Amino acid sequence: DLAGRTEVSKCKKADTDDCAASFAWKDESSGLARLCFGPEDGETKCSDTEVEGCLPPPSPPPSSPPPLTCNDLAGRTEIPDKSCRKADSGDCSSFFKWKDAASGVARLCHGPEPGSSKCSGQLVSGCALPSVPPFAPPPTPPPPSAPPPLTCSDLAGRVEINKCKKADSEACHDYYEVKNAAKHKYKLCYAEEGESKCVRMKSITCLPTNAPTTIV
């Protein structure tokens, strides 16, 4: 009569509407229990009777987790090993392993099971490969903005130098090269993004100017 009853501290504290659903241990190690019944006529609380040789009622089996399906594949990370036992036991449900990707058969990791310290695996079939966002190449940086075209008017006030790359890189616009003085051909120095030295433009033909001709 112990099977199916709920343990209480005393039968007098059991639900009087269902006394027979309760019991109390008097000495569990000796198998001595009190089975609740009643209430008896004229009583408002449950009564009890002692029985011997009782075993504790069996614990209910742990509830089984719902079966895994292909829907549980989303968001999981494929493990490089063949077995779910190699997955992180602290987060089993985050991993899976294809058994046959072409056929849509995967092994979903779960657990650990009671008494085990490692993840287990369950086969599911009919699964599609998890969608992976397409790789987007990094955007191409815009080309460096070209300096405004230099003209003969930019020659005035500049100092002649043998090579633009030898000019002060902090003041490239203060210098120019002479390509052919007889033909009044000059190259103006300027700074270009990404360059550590001054660069020169293609030669332009200008009329004589008041630009100093000091060689630096």
Side-chain angles (χ1 to χ4, degrees):
D1 295 317
L2 189 62
R5 292 179 179 245
T6 302
E7 183 180 357
V8 294
S9 58
K10 293 181 179 181
C11 284
K12 288 183 178 182
K13 295 184 177 181
D15 181 4
T16 56
D17 291 332
D18 196 10
C19 295
S22 304
F23 80 100
W25 284 112
K26 182 177 181 181
D27 186 351
E28 184 176 356
S29 62
S30 301
L32 187 60
R34 291 189 173 102
L35 304 185
C36 307
F37 67 93
E40 294 185 315
D41 293 340
E43 295 290 337
T44 58
K45 296 183 178 181
C46 298
S47 301
D48 63 73
T49 181
E50 290 187 5
V51 291
E52 298 178 346
C54 300
L55 296 175
S59 302
S63 57
S64 300
L68 298 172
T69 67
C70 288
N71 292 333
D72 298 299
L73 184 61
R76 291 179 178 242
T77 301
E78 184 174 5
I79 54 175
D81 303 288
K82 293 182 179 180
S83 173
C84 282
R85 294 175 61 83
K86 301 290 184 68
D88 178 7
S89 59
D91 196 14
C92 297
S93 60
S94 293
F95 301 95
F96 81 101
K97 178 66 181 179
W98 283 113
K99 183 177 181 181
D100 187 347
S103 301
V105 180
R107 191 183 304 276
L108 304 187
C109 305
H110 63 92
E113 299 286 354
S116 175
S117 61
K118 297 182 180 293
C119 300
S120 300
Q122 178 182 322
L123 289 176
V124 292
S125 58
C127 302
L129 290 169
S131 60
V132 178
F135 172 73
T140 304
S145 56
L150 298 173
T151 65
C152 289
S153 61
D154 296 299
L155 182 61
R158 292 185 178 234
V159 177
E160 181 185 347
I161 194 169
N162 289 332
K163 299 287 185 182
C164 281
K165 65 181 181 180
K166 294 183 179 181
D168 180 3
S169 60
E170 298 294 327
C172 298
H173 59 277
D174 288 340
Y175 302 93
Y176 72 96
E177 288 183 23
V178 176
K179 182 179 182 181
N180 190 322
K183 296 182 178 181
H184 307 296
K185 291 184 178 291
Y186 307 97
K187 294 183 178 181
L188 305 187
C189 307
Y190 68 95
E192 188 170 75
E193 186 176 357
E195 296 290 339
S196 59
K197 296 182 179 182
C198 299
V199 294
R200 64 190 180 187
M201 62 173 289
K202 292 182 178 180
S203 63
I204 55 175
T205 301
C206 301
L207 296 176
T209 69
N210 295 326
T213 57
T214 304
I215 303 298
V216 177

